[in-house]
Amino acid sequence: MFSMTAPKSTKLSTDSYKGVRDFYPEDQAVQKYIFDKWSKVAEKFGYNRYDASILEPTELYHAKSGEEMVNEQTYSFVDRGDREVTLRPEMTPTVARMIAAKKRDLGFPARWYSIPNLFRYERPQRGRLREHWQLNVDVFGIASVEADIEIISMADALLKEFGASAADFTIKISSRKLLNSLFSGWYEFSDEQSMRMQKLIDKKAKMSPEDFDTEAEKIVGKAFKFLNLGKKSGEYEEAMAIPNIREAKQELDTVIETLKKRGISNVEYDETIIRGFDYYTGIVFEVFDTNPKNNRSLFGGGRYDELLKIFGEEKVPTVGFGVGDVTMKDFLEVHELLPKYISSTEIMICVMDNEFNDAANKIAEELRKANINVAINYSEKKIGDQIKSANKQSIPYIIVIGPVEAEGNTFNIKRLSDSLEITTTLAETAKIINFIK
Ligand code: HAM
């Protein structure tokens, strides 16, 4: 049994739980900056926000999230009513559940987005933590490749909204449909071999080429060679003579060519993009940072037309992606795209003595009416120390209230970055707003 109180002699650690973060105001400001831009782009494309609880029944992930996720990465427990519960490791099963529950009442195509926090028991490392926030953008009800194209275009627009250029990232696309048709029609693998090869290719980037070859041979009984259909050489024509393969490749080509035609040039076919989840059925993609310091996948997504079937519903054609806040922040840092931190408090009123608190409050109240964020120091410390504190907290402006200001009608507002000052009165709030905004 857990004890409710710590033994008196033990000092508690100030560390947060392994792999999760505390968000001090500066970290929170970065997160808000990222979330605001995410929401802005999603809404510009006509997506509406939804959310759900962090807690889900564990069975939700058994059907289609993949063995690794369920057996190794979930935080699961049994509640007091003997129910198996999981802290959501991804949002896709949740949103599929929500769509399935109200399918008859919803208008389609439904365009939805969410910014959930997700929990995965992973080894914490650069870009991978145990709790992260993930923008999820999904469109339900469009079977044509226009949905895949829209979703990939949004991923592109999202990075550009932060000031990134095409050279900063690469969009790598592949197709589960193409892969499955190659596995069955070209390589003639059994279902079991196809499944195992899919998992192996998904892990390829984390293995040496020799280890990959050895593992592949164990699965298929002979050396495995990628067909390299992107190059249109060697056995290309022969493979294209098989109808399923040809159709899947044509669909993939249409997506890539349309994206290029619409101005997205940094998109390429990469047959090693598989995506770990079992629910994907068509086009899959990932977006990679091109900066060698952060050479990792930022976004992952694709088409998953069959997921609603786990709820006994008819299939609904769906495409979506997820992008995490950890990798996004790393991307913005290496490309120097993060703005300098400024406190959301715009003005700190420094008070010389507590007898001037009423005067300070009068000014604060008026400024707040004008939508200016104002804090009053009240520490009774020296004015020099109060200004240092405002600087430390990155509060950009100060007003000092002493006997002159309390008695008179005017006061000074000072910008701390360059000591620029204006003298003003409360009646001139417009002047104050212009100075600070
Ligand atoms: P995912 O590839 O597992 O896809 O995650 C998407 C993104 O979330 C990754 O590219 C990465 O930015 C971030 N991410 C994932 N795991 C972690 C972690 N442990 N720490 C930090 N960031 C992480 C999915 O989750 C799909 N459900 C996405 C999707 C939505 N597919 C269709 N719709």
Side-chain angles (χ1 to χ4, degrees):
M1 255 339 232
F2 294 113
S3 151
M4 292 298 284
T5 48
K8 277 206 176 78
S9 59
T10 322
K11 276 192 197 151
L12 291 181
S13 165
T14 54
D15 293 344
S16 52
Y17 168 71
K18 186 174 177 179
V20 308
R21 290 159 292 167
D22 291 325
F23 290 88
Y24 285 84
E26 292 200 17
D27 309 307
Q28 191 71 71
V30 172
Q31 204 187 46
K32 181 175 184 305
Y33 176 74
I34 293 174
F35 289 4
D36 285 352
K37 286 216 179 312
W38 280 354
S39 303
K40 187 175 158 194
V41 174
E43 285 172 17
K44 268 196 205 172
F45 276 74
Y47 287 66
N48 287 278
R49 191 160 180 167
Y50 69 95
D51 208 344
S53 166
I54 290 168
L55 301 176
E56 284 283 8
T58 301
E59 63 178 18
L60 185 62
Y61 305 101
H62 279 294
K64 290 275 176 182
S65 288
E67 263 169 52
E68 190 190 9
M69 179 65 82
V70 174
N71 297 338
E72 294 165 30
Q73 295 189 344
T74 51
Y75 280 88
S76 298
F77 63 96
V78 177
D79 74 9
R80 290 170 205 272
D82 273 342
R83 297 171 204 91
E84 286 189 37
V85 187
T86 291
L87 302 192
R88 61 187 175 197
E90 57 155 339
M91 199 60 171
T92 308
T94 299
V95 75
R97 179 177 62 67
M98 288 168 68
I99 293 277
K102 294 250 162 108
K103 202 175 147 216
R104 267 145 220 93
D105 308 329
L106 295 167
F108 291 95
R111 289 178 163 87
W112 287 14
Y113 83 95
S114 187
I115 308 180
N117 55 338
L118 309 176
F119 299 85
R120 295 185 190 180
Y121 195 79
E122 294 200 62
R123 191 170 62 79
Q125 53 189 297
R126 185 175 167 86
R128 283 279 175 274
L129 293 176
R130 291 186 172 171
E131 180 188 25
H132 76 283
W133 274 256
Q134 192 187 90
L135 169 69
N136 274 252
V137 175
D138 295 273
V139 53
F140 303 85
I142 302 178
S144 87
V145 288
E146 280 303 341
D148 306 72
I149 294 163
E150 173 173 302
I151 284 290
I152 296 169
S153 303
M154 279 182 74
D156 176 80
L158 203 69
L159 289 174
K160 293 193 174 144
E161 179 71 29
F162 286 97
S165 67
D168 297 333
F169 61 96
T170 310
I171 303 167
K172 295 187 177 179
I173 307 190
S174 183
S175 159
R176 277 280 177 92
K177 217 189 272 174
L178 177 60
L179 184 85
N180 289 336
S181 57
L182 283 170
F183 279 171
S184 58
W186 180 261
Y187 295 104
E188 296 178 337
F189 293 161
S190 66
D191 288 351
E192 160 82 12
Q193 285 171 324
S194 296
M195 181 64 101
R196 288 176 63 198
M197 275 309 286
Q198 194 170 301
K199 302 272 174 226
L200 183 66
I201 297 174
D202 188 44
K203 293 204 180 90
K204 186 172 182 292
K206 294 178 199 143
M207 308 172 81
S208 72
E210 296 73 31
D211 283 352
F212 176 82
D213 290 344
T214 314
E215 290 302 313
E217 199 164 338
K218 273 193 214 157
I219 297 169
V220 298
K222 55 181 180 205
F224 174 80
K225 188 164 93 32
F226 281 99
L227 253 187
N228 213 350
L229 290 179
K231 291 242 157 47
K232 298 197 175 182
S233 55
E235 290 140 322
Y236 182 83
E237 293 302 337
E238 242 178 282
M240 286 303 117
I242 301 172
N244 286 350
I245 299 178
R246 186 173 61 246
E247 275 160 34
K249 179 67 172 53
Q250 278 166 351
E251 184 183 82
L252 183 65
D253 288 346
T254 307
V255 172
I256 295 176
E257 280 157 22
T258 312
L259 285 167
K260 289 198 167 162
K261 197 172 73 192
R262 295 186 190 166
I264 299 170
S265 54
N266 49 337
V267 41
E268 61 185 46
Y269 168 46
D270 183 332
E271 60 201 329
T272 64
I273 298 294
I274 297 282
R275 310 274 309 126
F277 303 106
D278 293 344
Y279 48 67
Y280 292 113
T281 53
I283 299 289
V284 283
F285 75 99
E286 291 192 16
V287 180
F288 285 80
D289 191 341
T290 52
N291 188 310
K293 282 192 216 142
N294 194 40
N295 193 5
R296 57 178 56 253
S297 176
L298 305 168
F299 294 59
R303 180 175 280 279
Y304 54 102
D305 289 348
E306 313 270 335
L307 191 51
L308 260 65
K309 283 192 182 167
I310 67 172
F311 306 102
E313 288 291 337
E314 293 283 289
K315 66 181 209 172
V316 172
T318 306
V319 192
F321 71 70
V323 52
D325 64 330
V326 185
T327 39
M328 188 79 228
K329 180 166 172 263
D330 290 346
F331 175 85
L332 297 175
E333 269 167 2
V334 296
H335 294 280
E336 294 179 11
L337 293 171
L338 270 181
K340 192 173 164 293
Y341 171 71
I342 304 174
S343 168
S344 60
T345 308
E346 293 162 303
I347 299 177
M348 167 74 83
I349 300 184
C350 305
V351 197
M352 274 191 197
D353 189 283
N354 57 16
E355 64 180 288
F356 308 123
N357 284 348
D358 285 345
N361 266 285
K362 191 167 165 244
I363 295 176
E365 200 180 310
E366 283 308 309
L367 294 177
R368 286 175 191 142
K369 275 189 204 154
N371 282 327
I372 297 172
N373 303 339
V374 188
I376 303 174
N377 190 296
Y378 294 132
S379 69
E380 300 182 19
K381 290 206 169 128
K382 285 190 207 130
I383 290 297
D385 290 338
Q386 295 188 35
I387 295 175
K388 264 190 212 149
S389 165
N391 251 324
K392 221 176 188 175
Q393 296 180 61
S394 302
I395 297 172
Y397 296 89
I398 57 145
I399 293 171
V400 177
I401 303 296
V404 179
E405 291 79 8
E407 290 301 313
N409 190 24
T410 62
F411 53 88
N412 288 351
I413 297 188
K414 184 172 178 178
R415 186 159 68 200
L416 291 178
S417 61
D418 57 2
S419 298
L420 188 71
E421 251 174 277
I422 58 159
T423 306
T424 186
T425 64
L426 267 183
E428 291 181 310
T429 343
K431 187 172 157 196
I432 304 171
I433 295 172
N434 283 338
F435 182 62
I436 71 160
K437 297 243 180 181

